[in-house]
mmCIF file of all heavy atoms in Angstrom:
data_model
loop_
_atom_site.group_PDB
_atom_site.id
_atom_site.type_symbol
_atom_site.label_atom_id
_atom_site.label_comp_id
_atom_site.label_asym_id
_atom_site.label_seq_id
_atom_site.Cartn_x
_atom_site.Cartn_y
_atom_site.Cartn_z
ATOM 1 N N ASN A 1 45.695 41.258 -63.859
ATOM 2 C CA ASN A 1 45.370 40.924 -65.243
ATOM 3 C C ASN A 1 46.587 40.748 -66.140
ATOM 4 O O ASN A 1 46.429 40.424 -67.316
ATOM 5 C CB ASN A 1 44.454 41.999 -65.850
ATOM 6 C CG ASN A 1 44.989 43.410 -65.614
ATOM 7 O OD1 ASN A 1 46.193 43.616 -65.540
ATOM 8 N ND2 ASN A 1 44.090 44.362 -65.497
ATOM 9 N N ALA A 2 47.801 40.944 -65.614
ATOM 10 C CA ALA A 2 48.990 40.805 -66.451
ATOM 11 C C ALA A 2 49.160 39.370 -66.941
ATOM 12 O O ALA A 2 49.624 39.137 -68.073
ATOM 13 C CB ALA A 2 50.235 41.257 -65.676
ATOM 14 N N ALA A 3 48.786 38.399 -66.113
ATOM 15 C CA ALA A 3 48.919 36.999 -66.520
ATOM 16 C C ALA A 3 48.042 36.698 -67.728
ATOM 17 O O ALA A 3 48.469 35.989 -68.660
ATOM 18 C CB ALA A 3 48.561 36.075 -65.355
ATOM 19 N N ASP A 4 46.834 37.245 -67.753
ATOM 20 C CA ASP A 4 45.950 37.013 -68.899
ATOM 21 C C ASP A 4 46.513 37.647 -70.165
ATOM 22 O O ASP A 4 46.381 37.088 -71.261
ATOM 23 C CB ASP A 4 44.559 37.576 -68.610
ATOM 24 C CG ASP A 4 43.811 36.764 -67.569
ATOM 25 O OD1 ASP A 4 44.038 35.543 -67.507
ATOM 26 O OD2 ASP A 4 43.026 37.349 -66.809
ATOM 27 N N VAL A 5 47.130 38.823 -70.030
ATOM 28 C CA VAL A 5 47.700 39.481 -71.207
ATOM 29 C C VAL A 5 48.839 38.652 -71.772
ATOM 30 O O VAL A 5 48.918 38.401 -72.992
ATOM 31 C CB VAL A 5 48.171 40.908 -70.853
ATOM 32 C CG1 VAL A 5 48.828 41.567 -72.061
ATOM 33 C CG2 VAL A 5 46.996 41.755 -70.372
ATOM 34 N N TRP A 6 49.744 38.178 -70.904
ATOM 35 C CA TRP A 6 50.866 37.366 -71.384
ATOM 36 C C TRP A 6 50.374 36.043 -71.963
ATOM 37 O O TRP A 6 50.927 35.538 -72.951
ATOM 38 C CB TRP A 6 51.858 37.101 -70.253
ATOM 39 C CG TRP A 6 52.777 38.241 -69.978
ATOM 40 C CD1 TRP A 6 52.838 39.005 -68.857
ATOM 41 C CD2 TRP A 6 53.787 38.753 -70.860
ATOM 42 N NE1 TRP A 6 53.802 39.962 -68.974
ATOM 43 C CE2 TRP A 6 54.414 39.827 -70.193
ATOM 44 C CE3 TRP A 6 54.210 38.423 -72.142
ATOM 45 C CZ2 TRP A 6 55.443 40.568 -70.777
ATOM 46 C CZ3 TRP A 6 55.237 39.159 -72.724
ATOM 47 C CH2 TRP A 6 55.847 40.206 -72.040
ATOM 48 N N TYR A 7 49.325 35.482 -71.381
ATOM 49 C CA TYR A 7 48.772 34.240 -71.922
ATOM 50 C C TYR A 7 48.248 34.446 -73.336
ATOM 51 O O TYR A 7 48.488 33.621 -74.230
ATOM 52 C CB TYR A 7 47.648 33.729 -71.019
ATOM 53 C CG TYR A 7 46.788 32.679 -71.679
ATOM 54 C CD1 TYR A 7 47.242 31.367 -71.826
ATOM 55 C CD2 TYR A 7 45.530 33.004 -72.193
ATOM 56 C CE1 TYR A 7 46.467 30.403 -72.446
ATOM 57 C CE2 TYR A 7 44.746 32.040 -72.818
ATOM 58 C CZ TYR A 7 45.219 30.746 -72.941
ATOM 59 O OH TYR A 7 44.461 29.802 -73.565
ATOM 60 N N ASN A 8 47.539 35.554 -73.564
ATOM 61 C CA ASN A 8 47.003 35.814 -74.894
ATOM 62 C C ASN A 8 48.101 36.118 -75.908
ATOM 63 O O ASN A 8 47.990 35.753 -77.084
ATOM 64 C CB ASN A 8 45.995 36.964 -74.835
ATOM 65 C CG ASN A 8 44.669 36.546 -74.224
ATOM 66 O OD1 ASN A 8 43.986 35.673 -74.743
ATOM 67 N ND2 ASN A 8 44.317 37.153 -73.095
ATOM 68 N N ILE A 9 49.175 36.771 -75.459
ATOM 69 C CA ILE A 9 50.317 36.980 -76.361
ATOM 70 C C ILE A 9 50.925 35.631 -76.742
ATOM 71 O O ILE A 9 51.286 35.394 -77.902
ATOM 72 C CB ILE A 9 51.358 37.902 -75.701
ATOM 73 C CG1 ILE A 9 50.777 39.296 -75.479
ATOM 74 C CG2 ILE A 9 52.612 37.992 -76.562
ATOM 75 C CD1 ILE A 9 51.683 40.223 -74.715
ATOM 76 N N GLY A 10 51.037 34.741 -75.756
ATOM 77 C CA GLY A 10 51.523 33.394 -76.055
ATOM 78 C C GLY A 10 50.585 32.646 -76.988
ATOM 79 O O GLY A 10 51.032 31.887 -77.856
ATOM 80 N N HIS A 11 49.286 32.857 -76.838
ATOM 81 C CA HIS A 11 48.316 32.219 -77.732
ATOM 82 C C HIS A 11 48.512 32.706 -79.175
ATOM 83 O O HIS A 11 48.446 31.915 -80.127
ATOM 84 C CB HIS A 11 46.910 32.525 -77.252
ATOM 85 C CG HIS A 11 45.832 31.862 -78.038
ATOM 86 N ND1 HIS A 11 45.572 30.516 -77.946
ATOM 87 C CD2 HIS A 11 44.962 32.357 -78.960
ATOM 88 C CE1 HIS A 11 44.581 30.197 -78.764
ATOM 89 N NE2 HIS A 11 44.190 31.303 -79.384
ATOM 90 N N ILE A 12 48.764 34.009 -79.330
ATOM 91 C CA ILE A 12 49.024 34.554 -80.663
ATOM 92 C C ILE A 12 50.312 33.962 -81.229
ATOM 93 O O ILE A 12 50.398 33.621 -82.425
ATOM 94 C CB ILE A 12 49.112 36.091 -80.602
ATOM 95 C CG1 ILE A 12 47.790 36.686 -80.123
ATOM 96 C CG2 ILE A 12 49.496 36.663 -81.962
ATOM 97 C CD1 ILE A 12 46.612 36.429 -81.010
ATOM 98 N N ALA A 13 51.333 33.810 -80.372
ATOM 99 C CA ALA A 13 52.604 33.238 -80.831
ATOM 100 C C ALA A 13 52.419 31.794 -81.288
ATOM 101 O O ALA A 13 53.022 31.356 -82.283
ATOM 102 C CB ALA A 13 53.639 33.324 -79.715
ATOM 103 N N ILE A 14 51.583 31.035 -80.582
ATOM 104 C CA ILE A 14 51.298 29.655 -81.017
ATOM 105 C C ILE A 14 50.591 29.666 -82.364
ATOM 106 O O ILE A 14 50.880 28.856 -83.256
ATOM 107 C CB ILE A 14 50.441 28.933 -79.966
ATOM 108 C CG1 ILE A 14 51.248 28.710 -78.689
ATOM 109 C CG2 ILE A 14 49.943 27.592 -80.494
ATOM 110 C CD1 ILE A 14 50.453 28.098 -77.562
ATOM 111 N N ALA A 15 49.691 30.611 -82.559
ATOM 112 C CA ALA A 15 48.930 30.670 -83.816
ATOM 113 C C ALA A 15 49.832 30.982 -85.011
ATOM 114 O O ALA A 15 49.574 30.495 -86.119
ATOM 115 C CB ALA A 15 47.828 31.719 -83.698
ATOM 116 N N ILE A 16 50.890 31.760 -84.785
ATOM 117 C CA ILE A 16 51.794 32.078 -85.907
ATOM 118 C C ILE A 16 52.955 31.098 -85.984
ATOM 119 O O ILE A 16 53.802 31.216 -86.873
ATOM 120 C CB ILE A 16 52.333 33.521 -85.783
ATOM 121 C CG1 ILE A 16 53.194 33.684 -84.528
ATOM 122 C CG2 ILE A 16 51.189 34.520 -85.784
ATOM 123 C CD1 ILE A 16 53.811 35.075 -84.388
ATOM 124 N N GLY A 17 53.017 30.134 -85.058
ATOM 125 C CA GLY A 17 54.012 29.069 -85.136
ATOM 126 C C GLY A 17 55.317 29.325 -84.420
ATOM 127 O O GLY A 17 56.242 28.512 -84.533
ATOM 128 N N ASP A 18 55.438 30.396 -83.658
ATOM 129 C CA ASP A 18 56.680 30.695 -82.932
ATOM 130 C C ASP A 18 56.553 30.117 -81.520
ATOM 131 O O ASP A 18 56.142 30.798 -80.572
ATOM 132 C CB ASP A 18 56.920 32.198 -82.886
ATOM 133 C CG ASP A 18 58.347 32.549 -82.486
ATOM 134 O OD1 ASP A 18 59.008 31.697 -81.853
ATOM 135 O OD2 ASP A 18 58.804 33.652 -82.827
ATOM 136 N N LEU A 19 56.918 28.850 -81.345
ATOM 137 C CA LEU A 19 56.717 28.168 -80.071
ATOM 138 C C LEU A 19 57.676 28.659 -78.996
ATOM 139 O O LEU A 19 57.357 28.587 -77.802
ATOM 140 C CB LEU A 19 56.867 26.655 -80.263
ATOM 141 C CG LEU A 19 55.853 26.006 -81.214
ATOM 142 C CD1 LEU A 19 56.063 24.504 -81.251
ATOM 143 C CD2 LEU A 19 54.428 26.335 -80.810
ATOM 144 N N ASP A 20 58.864 29.133 -79.388
ATOM 145 C CA ASP A 20 59.824 29.632 -78.388
ATOM 146 C C ASP A 20 59.278 30.866 -77.671
ATOM 147 O O ASP A 20 59.316 30.956 -76.442
ATOM 148 C CB ASP A 20 61.157 29.952 -79.063
ATOM 149 C CG ASP A 20 61.857 28.699 -79.565
ATOM 150 O OD1 ASP A 20 61.644 27.634 -78.957
ATOM 151 O OD2 ASP A 20 62.594 28.787 -80.567
ATOM 152 N N ILE A 21 58.791 31.830 -78.447
ATOM 153 C CA ILE A 21 58.209 33.026 -77.835
ATOM 154 C C ILE A 21 56.952 32.660 -77.049
ATOM 155 O O ILE A 21 56.699 33.204 -75.967
ATOM 156 C CB ILE A 21 57.882 34.075 -78.919
ATOM 157 C CG1 ILE A 21 59.182 34.613 -79.533
ATOM 158 C CG2 ILE A 21 57.059 35.217 -78.344
ATOM 159 C CD1 ILE A 21 58.979 35.662 -80.591
ATOM 160 N N ALA A 22 56.181 31.711 -77.577
ATOM 161 C CA ALA A 22 54.976 31.291 -76.873
ATOM 162 C C ALA A 22 55.315 30.714 -75.507
ATOM 163 O O ALA A 22 54.663 31.029 -74.505
ATOM 164 C CB ALA A 22 54.220 30.262 -77.714
ATOM 165 N N GLU A 23 56.356 29.883 -75.442
ATOM 166 C CA GLU A 23 56.754 29.300 -74.160
ATOM 167 C C GLU A 23 57.206 30.372 -73.177
ATOM 168 O O GLU A 23 56.859 30.333 -71.984
ATOM 169 C CB GLU A 23 57.869 28.277 -74.382
ATOM 170 C CG GLU A 23 58.296 27.579 -73.103
ATOM 171 C CD GLU A 23 59.414 26.591 -73.335
ATOM 172 O OE1 GLU A 23 59.812 26.402 -74.505
ATOM 173 O OE2 GLU A 23 59.905 26.009 -72.347
ATOM 174 N N GLN A 24 57.967 31.333 -73.648
ATOM 175 C CA GLN A 24 58.428 32.416 -72.769
ATOM 176 C C GLN A 24 57.243 33.213 -72.221
ATOM 177 O O GLN A 24 57.196 33.547 -71.036
ATOM 178 C CB GLN A 24 59.387 33.325 -73.532
ATOM 179 C CG GLN A 24 60.709 32.666 -73.923
ATOM 180 C CD GLN A 24 61.605 33.603 -74.692
ATOM 181 O OE1 GLN A 24 61.351 34.804 -74.747
ATOM 182 N NE2 GLN A 24 62.653 33.065 -75.307
ATOM 183 N N CYS A 25 56.263 33.512 -73.091
ATOM 184 C CA CYS A 25 55.096 34.284 -72.649
ATOM 185 C C CYS A 25 54.282 33.506 -71.613
ATOM 186 O O CYS A 25 53.818 34.072 -70.612
ATOM 187 C CB CYS A 25 54.221 34.644 -73.845
ATOM 188 S SG CYS A 25 54.989 35.797 -75.012
ATOM 189 N N LEU A 26 54.108 32.208 -71.843
ATOM 190 C CA LEU A 26 53.336 31.404 -70.897
ATOM 191 C C LEU A 26 54.046 31.284 -69.556
ATOM 192 O O LEU A 26 53.405 31.293 -68.501
ATOM 193 C CB LEU A 26 53.077 30.027 -71.495
ATOM 194 C CG LEU A 26 52.169 29.996 -72.732
ATOM 195 C CD1 LEU A 26 52.123 28.595 -73.329
ATOM 196 C CD2 LEU A 26 50.761 30.465 -72.380
ATOM 197 N N ARG A 27 55.366 31.174 -69.590
ATOM 198 C CA ARG A 27 56.107 31.116 -68.325
ATOM 199 C C ARG A 27 56.045 32.459 -67.595
ATOM 200 O O ARG A 27 56.025 32.494 -66.357
ATOM 201 C CB ARG A 27 57.550 30.697 -68.582
ATOM 202 C CG ARG A 27 57.677 29.255 -69.079
ATOM 203 C CD ARG A 27 59.117 28.783 -69.103
ATOM 204 N NE ARG A 27 59.208 27.434 -69.634
ATOM 205 C CZ ARG A 27 58.974 26.319 -68.946
ATOM 206 N NH1 ARG A 27 58.613 26.408 -67.674
ATOM 207 N NH2 ARG A 27 59.080 25.130 -69.504
ATOM 208 N N LEU A 28 56.027 33.555 -68.335
ATOM 209 C CA LEU A 28 55.847 34.863 -67.702
ATOM 210 C C LEU A 28 54.465 34.955 -67.051
ATOM 211 O O LEU A 28 54.324 35.494 -65.943
ATOM 212 C CB LEU A 28 56.012 35.975 -68.743
ATOM 213 C CG LEU A 28 57.442 36.347 -69.126
ATOM 214 C CD1 LEU A 28 57.442 37.308 -70.315
ATOM 215 C CD2 LEU A 28 58.158 36.984 -67.946
ATOM 216 N N ALA A 29 53.458 34.417 -67.722
ATOM 217 C CA ALA A 29 52.116 34.418 -67.141
ATOM 218 C C ALA A 29 52.075 33.614 -65.845
ATOM 219 O O ALA A 29 51.463 34.035 -64.854
ATOM 220 C CB ALA A 29 51.108 33.860 -68.150
ATOM 221 N N LEU A 30 52.765 32.464 -65.843
ATOM 222 C CA LEU A 30 52.785 31.633 -64.632
ATOM 223 C C LEU A 30 53.628 32.256 -63.528
ATOM 224 O O LEU A 30 53.383 32.011 -62.347
ATOM 225 C CB LEU A 30 53.315 30.233 -64.980
ATOM 226 C CG LEU A 30 52.370 29.382 -65.836
ATOM 227 C CD1 LEU A 30 53.057 28.086 -66.245
ATOM 228 C CD2 LEU A 30 51.084 29.085 -65.086
ATOM 229 N N SER A 31 54.631 33.046 -63.892
ATOM 230 C CA SER A 31 55.424 33.729 -62.862
ATOM 231 C C SER A 31 54.595 34.795 -62.144
ATOM 232 O O SER A 31 54.859 35.127 -60.991
ATOM 233 C CB SER A 31 56.660 34.367 -63.488
ATOM 234 O OG SER A 31 56.300 35.442 -64.357
ATOM 235 N N ILE A 32 53.580 35.314 -62.831
ATOM 236 C CA ILE A 32 52.698 36.310 -62.220
ATOM 237 C C ILE A 32 51.563 35.645 -61.457
ATOM 238 O O ILE A 32 51.218 36.042 -60.347
ATOM 239 C CB ILE A 32 52.142 37.253 -63.314
ATOM 240 C CG1 ILE A 32 53.281 37.999 -63.984
ATOM 241 C CG2 ILE A 32 51.139 38.238 -62.715
ATOM 242 C CD1 ILE A 32 52.864 38.787 -65.207
ATOM 243 N N ASP A 33 50.969 34.614 -62.062
ATOM 244 C CA ASP A 33 49.855 33.896 -61.458
ATOM 245 C C ASP A 33 50.133 32.405 -61.569
ATOM 246 O O ASP A 33 49.986 31.815 -62.643
ATOM 247 C CB ASP A 33 48.546 34.253 -62.155
ATOM 248 C CG ASP A 33 47.343 33.574 -61.514
ATOM 249 O OD1 ASP A 33 47.531 32.897 -60.474
ATOM 250 O OD2 ASP A 33 46.227 33.715 -62.038
ATOM 251 N N THR A 34 50.550 31.798 -60.472
ATOM 252 C CA THR A 34 50.918 30.376 -60.502
ATOM 253 C C THR A 34 49.714 29.459 -60.604
ATOM 254 O O THR A 34 49.876 28.239 -60.668
ATOM 255 C CB THR A 34 51.710 30.018 -59.232
ATOM 256 O OG1 THR A 34 50.914 30.334 -58.081
ATOM 257 C CG2 THR A 34 53.018 30.777 -59.187
ATOM 258 N N THR A 35 48.517 29.995 -60.618
ATOM 259 C CA THR A 35 47.301 29.182 -60.726
ATOM 260 C C THR A 35 46.589 29.427 -62.050
ATOM 261 O O THR A 35 45.367 29.239 -62.147
ATOM 262 C CB THR A 35 46.348 29.494 -59.564
ATOM 263 O OG1 THR A 35 45.976 30.872 -59.608
ATOM 264 C CG2 THR A 35 47.002 29.182 -58.227
ATOM 265 N N HIS A 36 47.320 29.838 -63.061
ATOM 266 C CA HIS A 36 46.720 30.115 -64.362
ATOM 267 C C HIS A 36 46.633 28.807 -65.136
ATOM 268 O O HIS A 36 47.586 28.366 -65.779
ATOM 269 C CB HIS A 36 47.553 31.156 -65.109
ATOM 270 C CG HIS A 36 46.782 31.906 -66.148
ATOM 271 N ND1 HIS A 36 46.651 31.466 -67.440
ATOM 272 C CD2 HIS A 36 46.071 33.051 -66.075
ATOM 273 C CE1 HIS A 36 45.916 32.313 -68.129
ATOM 274 N NE2 HIS A 36 45.547 33.292 -67.320
ATOM 275 N N ALA A 37 45.478 28.155 -65.074
ATOM 276 C CA ALA A 37 45.316 26.809 -65.637
ATOM 277 C C ALA A 37 45.514 26.791 -67.148
ATOM 278 O O ALA A 37 46.095 25.846 -67.696
ATOM 279 C CB ALA A 37 43.934 26.270 -65.281
ATOM 280 N N ALA A 38 45.020 27.822 -67.853
ATOM 281 C CA ALA A 38 45.142 27.830 -69.310
ATOM 282 C C ALA A 38 46.597 27.870 -69.751
ATOM 283 O O ALA A 38 46.969 27.272 -70.772
ATOM 284 C CB ALA A 38 44.374 29.020 -69.883
#
């Protein structure tokens, strides 16, 4: 479930406009689960 947590943190970062942190969080999610489509 770590990939889902990092994905949601990235979603929050997108909502507040910090795209750099959002990209890092999404890449962390993909490093844990390479099949995370969202």
Side-chain angles (χ1 to χ4, degrees):
N1 49 31
D4 289 329
V5 177
W6 280 114
Y7 165 76
N8 285 299
I9 296 174
H11 183 73
I12 298 297
I14 292 176
I16 64 177
D18 195 338
L19 298 183
D20 292 331
I21 292 181
E23 183 181 357
Q24 293 179 12
C25 293
L26 294 173
R27 293 190 183 279
L28 281 171
L30 290 174
S31 67
I32 298 171
D33 183 5
T34 57
T35 61
H36 203 272

